[in-house]
Amino acid sequence: MTDHVELRVPSDPAYVGLTRLLVSAGARQAGMAGAKVEDLKIAVSEAATNAMRAHRQHESKEPVTILFRAHAARFEVVVADAGPGFDPQPPTAFRDWRAESGLGVTLMRHLADDISFSRKNGMQVTLLFDLSRPSGNGVVE
Amino acid sequence: MELSLDHRTESNFTVLEVGGEVDVYTAPKLREKLVELVSDGHYRIMVDMTKVEFLDSTGLGVLVGGLKRVRSHDGTLGLVCNQERILKIFRITGLTKVFPIYDSLDEALQDLA
């Protein structure tokens, strides 16, 4: 028996809101606290947006796959696309505020308790949330 | 939830009230509105985000674009935001140092009068 939920979402920005809604319902059911669910919603939105952008840039008609599960007091979300992948920028202390893009990876790194990127027939982003760890206040040290 | 956008003039500011969710799907409407306001000569803009339910990096990018537009006319773009979950993403991205952010519209308008 499978231990996860898998969604295949049309690669259309109109579905990012529905994706957030479904994954956050799963997280609440797993016992995630309210403020942490808000963090998860943003991180999932960023990952799904990047995946859909990759599909659009490479004219892929494939759906984006989102898988989630709760295990060992953690909630895991995997967002996979069929694009060629990208090299995630390492965290940097300085960033030009005038840049209008590139903030998504920064937000995912801060809002998830752990994040990893891998290439498997496309890009795969894994976001991990520790259910017992409280949500932070966003202050960057 | 969809995005709602309403603007009005208050003191010597254009107040743009944003409500609902700002993400990759709805952000183009916000961008369009800001472009339209600046094209119409509104260079002092206060974006009231009190009724925003959700905002991600796409929305942040649009606000940064709006700020650059008004600054190119020596204008200003401030934000009214009192929701911790939204303030947090401005802190993470360092944008609290870029935008003037106020707890309430009254506070914003007094400060900038």
Side-chain angles (χ1 to χ4, degrees), chain A residues 39-51:
Chain A
D39 293 349
L40 167 119
K41 276 163 72 174
I42 296 168
V44 167
S45 198
E46 300 297 349
T49 298
N50 284 349

Side-chain angles (χ1 to χ4, degrees), chain B residues 5-113:
Chain B
L5 299 167
D6 291 296
H7 78 275
R8 63 183 190 277
T9 303
E10 209 159 309
S11 302
N12 54 352
F13 265 84
T14 299
V15 177
L16 174 60
E17 201 175 284
V18 184
E21 299 190 327
V22 191
D23 67 5
V24 64
Y25 183 53
T26 59
K29 291 171 201 152
L30 176 59
R31 180 182 290 115
E32 215 171 273
K33 187 73 182 179
L34 286 167
V35 168
E36 178 195 309
L37 287 173
V38 175
S39 304
D40 291 346
H42 301 265
Y43 305 139
R44 288 166 64 82
I45 300 175
M46 189 57 62
V47 181
D48 186 347
M49 301 174 64
T50 314
K51 292 178 186 162
V52 170
E53 305 275 333
F54 178 85
L55 181 89
D56 66 12
S57 70
T58 323
L60 293 178
V62 170
L63 292 171
V64 166
L67 180 62
K68 289 195 296 192
R69 261 173 227 283
V70 294
R71 282 202 181 165
S72 70
H73 296 277
D74 293 323
T76 178
L77 186 147
L79 308 173
V80 176
C81 180
N82 56 6
Q83 300 185 69
E84 177 53 29
R85 61 183 170 173
I86 291 173
L87 287 169
K88 181 169 160 171
I89 68 169
F90 282 91
R91 276 187 220 118
I92 292 170
T93 52
L95 291 173
T96 43
K97 295 175 190 132
V98 174
F99 290 99
I101 302 180
Y102 302 92
D103 275 348
S104 69
L105 192 56
D106 282 349
E107 188 196 321
L109 299 177
Q110 273 170 26
D111 189 58
L112 297 164

